[in-house]
């Protein structure tokens, strides 16, 4: 597979005033928790699968031991007021130019689907374990900022300091080129674990914003499952500390000549 | 060499119900041990050499001090029930997109050769030195899982946690797109050394699966040879700790401006 | 966005004997301080925005919480003797080939604008906190070296040792191919912090060189603002020490096979 | 500069039974010392300059403070028995695929110049400071091995363990595809410093091999100059330990989302 590959699972997608929500892995997996939860609760239908040489060369293993190549996925679903487009997945790009390439593809898909607003969802790391319901925001449009302020989203000058890195930030920048309003909503979270409470705060804002009602009881369990995957990865990593290195050329191996 | 280069050593390859076995370097070099051993014991014939800018810029040195550019190789051989295609080599890709590119090339080769099933072989790191004969599996097809269970392969829900990384995992994902059934068989191994016992457990399963008989006495010696190469690499690396760095631009050297 | 994208904000740019000043982030942010300061004080007009997959996938957040995709920018302005072209921005390339690609684009822009001389501005790290007004230089033309010596710029044989890395160096090398004279001016700085005093020394040289007068009182405040951004980044980084790693494939995770 | 660029400085190059010697930076800079020394002593003429986005974005600064973009260079010169082609330079590729690309270009240049043999020169790191005159070898041709054995070059089975990494190894592998015989000659060296004694041992072998006489007294001084450049780089690196990081996105900064 030499190129990013978008697999279209449904032709002729007609949407009613769609809004795109983006929840990819990140701090606290907050955004991912929210989007995966909505996909299930709103019974969203998968319409695109995105595979890419910028994702790690990896398959995830299911409960039945079947494998799935890491990917991103786009689902759609109806709500009372409008249709939602939900972008989620296993991984962000492992390369810088991959981020830009995938980001460009996602904004084009959004434009093609007639999306009028994009909300990228993430976690803002506080380093503290005490939970707060606060959701912080940044956006590419001042009107959108005012609307979100009224819903209780916090905006602080120059925050996050150092900017927003990764898809949630990049999509805000790229969507500006297509005149699509976009905001990043970040649930405050310690950053030490997958955080269902932070996801719940984010969902509370989204419920008001999109006029939807979503049951949140399973968020906790979903977070625990995600936590296991992450823990497995950390454990596997620790085991690998003493693992046999293959005949890889380590970066600091100096050349004979 | 700007592109991955596949050198065909034999035209007109006709195979009888071929199955592809993949054993590239990895944890415990278990898969590599098995495939290199089968190539020798079944007197397999080399049909493809694959060179790539994604492999390290490196030559291996033989006993006679002649050199060979690192590569992957495809061999074929006959057994009573069917023909086998054996993919092995010196190294996996050093880059993420290289993995996908090479993986795509290998799946295409498999399809071209009429391969109906793929078994990728590897090691599952336990971190413990005590040997167990257990072979764990994952697959892209539920029927295949049932067949392998009957042969004694273990399948645990969501295991390996964190998925399968590298060629053995990626090929399972990519082969799904070509409707080729594929499974990964992992011999449990400490992860600390090249493990001939784990390779032997894997071979035991393969013998039942493919209805072949292979002598295993030389596995131990083959493992020792591989261990030397790895040890040399580690020693060279330790020596390099104090080695003169060339005029390389180190990553953390900050720009003047 | 698959390619570096240059957005032209003004057609038909006619300049009077223009000189290009380059101040991108680097040691002490000295060059960036100078160019950002000149852009404001000389009321320069933005004419190009450069976005690139070689920049980090990141947006900066303003005081009003609006976002801006990281980029480089080209401004122009008039002074008594000539027009100035000012190249600055948020970031240098994150990749080696990106440096060369962007450098090539910048030299072509310079040639297109009729630029006759290029001064790249940076900081030379001394590791000592005591300030010195010294400005060190290197150039791709011996006449230019003599001119600059007369203005008080210091030139020491083979200094900086190890050469000049990053845009300030690369642009000197690439401009030689287009027969554009270029010099790098480096204000001596500790390297530990954003240094307004070093920027002031550099501005003093530039004032003599270009025959311009620029008020420097706000340099201190500008440096403090930049220092905050950097501090935020360091703090965010420390917080991230314990942050949840996403399902990223860490570099040292060894392959199953 | 988006592509590797070869600048031809002389058309119509006719050579008499040319042999290519390659001495790029590496362990102990042994190969580089030899080739730079031969270029000067044999008054070789520069015929190609190679620039590449795979080299670091860096200029070297001369004694006169003029700058030169890092590059590789090809020189030619006459000796009694044949013409020599000398490939040297500031740096090896910083990327894996860059190594293969540059290697391919160099083998093509060699073939175009009618080169019949290639000797890549380097250092073999022993980790010990005591000097030995030993020169170790590896080659892509058994006849060449025998010839070199007679001249006193040492060949040990499977040595260097772990193979030969970088241009000296890669060129041996790639030249095999063009049926050009090639060997790597490695002067034993501690690996801790630029080693003129090791270069002298290598030159002794080359003198017998190529039937040339070269004065070696300046090797020591040349080594000291190279040592300074390396020391500067290490010192600059240490200073950078506390240097202000620019607004770079550090690898381990986790994404907000």
């Amino acid at each position: 597979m030499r190129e990013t590959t978008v697999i279209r699972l449904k032709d002729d997608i007609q949407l009613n005033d769609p809004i795109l929500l983006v929840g990819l892995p990140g701090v606290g997996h907050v955004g991912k928790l929210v989007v995966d939860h909505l996909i299930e609760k709103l019974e969203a239908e998968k319409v695109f699968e995105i595979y890419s040489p910028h994702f790690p060369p990896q398959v995830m293993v299911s409960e039945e031991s079947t494998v799935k190549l890491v990917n991103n996925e786009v689902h759609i679903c109806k709500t009372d007021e409008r249709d939602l487009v939900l972008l989620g997945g296993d991984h962000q790009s492992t390369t810088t130019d991959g981020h830009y390439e995938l980001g460009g593809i996602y904004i084009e898909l959004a434009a093609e689907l007639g999306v009028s607003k994009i909300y990228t969802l993430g976690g803002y790391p506080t380093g503290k374990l005490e939970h707060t319901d606060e959701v912080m925001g940044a956006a590419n449009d001042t009107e959108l900022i005012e609307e979100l302020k009224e819903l209780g989203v916090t905006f602080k000058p120059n925050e996050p300091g150092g900017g927003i890195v990764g898809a949630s930030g990049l999509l805000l920048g790229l969507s500006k080129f297509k005149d699509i309003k976009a905001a990043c909503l970040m649930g405050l979270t310690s950053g030490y674990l997958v955080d269902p409470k932070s996801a719940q705060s984010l969902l509370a804002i989204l419920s008001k914003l999109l006029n939807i009602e979503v049951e949140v009881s399973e968020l906790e369990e979903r977070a625990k499952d995600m936590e296991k995957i992450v823990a497995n990865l950390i454990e596997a990593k620790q085991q690998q500390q003493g693992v046999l290195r293959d005949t890889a050329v380590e970066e600091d191996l100096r050349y004979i000549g």
Side-chain angles (χ1 to χ4, degrees), chain A:
Chain A
M1 185 189 287
R2 288 160 196 266
E3 301 246 342
T4 295
T5 304
V6 179
I7 297 185
R8 179 182 286 262
L9 303 169
K10 181 182 173 111
D11 293 311
D12 193 41
I13 300 166
Q14 301 293 340
L15 298 172
N16 168 34
D17 187 31
I19 281 180
L20 168 63
L21 302 180
V22 182
L24 289 166
V27 169
H29 276 355
V30 179
K32 180 169 163 62
L33 268 174
V34 170
V35 163
D36 287 2
H37 190 73
L38 286 173
I39 286 172
E40 192 194 308
K41 287 298 167 187
L42 300 176
E43 296 177 329
E45 171 191 10
K46 185 163 53 168
V47 288
F48 291 105
E49 287 175 349
I50 302 98
Y51 299 93
S52 176
H54 296 288
F55 295 142
Q58 181 179 8
V59 292
M60 309 303 294
V61 184
S62 76
E63 264 200 60
E64 300 77 35
S65 299
T66 52
V67 300
K68 192 206 81 164
L69 188 55
V70 293
N71 71 6
N72 287 178
E73 297 182 342
V74 176
H75 287 73
I76 56 177
C77 65
K78 295 191 165 319
T79 70
D80 289 340
E81 283 195 15
R82 64 174 61 75
D83 291 338
L84 293 181
V85 183
L86 301 154
L87 167 62
D90 303 305
H91 219 280
Q92 299 218 24
S93 168
T94 59
T95 66
T96 301
D97 57 319
H99 270 290
Y100 276 84
E101 179 191 328
L102 286 158
I105 287 173
Y106 293 150
I107 298 300
E108 277 172 24
L109 275 180
E112 179 193 319
L113 294 172
V115 160
S116 62
K117 282 210 196 90
I118 299 175
Y119 295 103
T120 64
L121 312 173
Y124 179 83
T126 61
K128 301 174 194 164
L129 283 165
E130 303 86 44
H131 173 70
T132 155
D133 285 335
E134 188 174 350
V135 170
M136 195 186 294
N140 68 6
D141 178 87
T142 44
E143 271 181 35
L144 195 47
I145 290 173
E146 293 311 310
E147 287 175 37
L148 291 166
K149 274 181 179 167
E150 280 170 34
L151 291 175
V153 177
T154 309
F155 290 83
K156 296 182 184 164
N158 303 109
E159 286 285 325
I164 305 174
V165 180
S168 352
L170 185 60
L171 290 174
L172 261 52
L174 293 178
S175 54
K176 189 85 178 157
F177 292 130
K178 295 269 185 189
D179 292 317
I180 298 175
K181 299 185 182 192
C184 179
L185 302 174
M186 298 161 275
L188 264 61
T189 179
S190 68
Y192 299 134
L193 36 85
V194 178
D195 190 349
K197 290 195 183 135
S198 184
Q200 205 165 319
S201 308
L202 212 46
L203 261 171
I205 295 285
L206 285 174
S207 300
K208 285 190 281 181
L209 183 63
L210 306 172
N211 234 326
I212 57 175
E213 262 185 60
V214 178
E215 206 187 42
V216 298
S217 53
E218 286 161 43
L219 260 183
E220 192 111 20
E221 197 178 319
R222 189 180 299 280
K224 282 186 183 143
D225 288 343
M226 257 186 228
E227 187 72 58
K228 271 188 217 156
I229 294 180
V230 174
N232 277 328
L233 212 68
I234 293 174
E235 194 193 318
K237 200 180 157 208
Q238 285 168 344
Q239 274 183 356
Q240 301 280 8
Q241 231 72 38
V243 159
L244 179 70
R245 271 131 173 37
D246 63 7
T247 55
V249 169
E250 306 290 346
E251 266 202 86
D252 57 329
L253 199 67
R254 292 290 163 240
Y255 301 132
I256 294 282

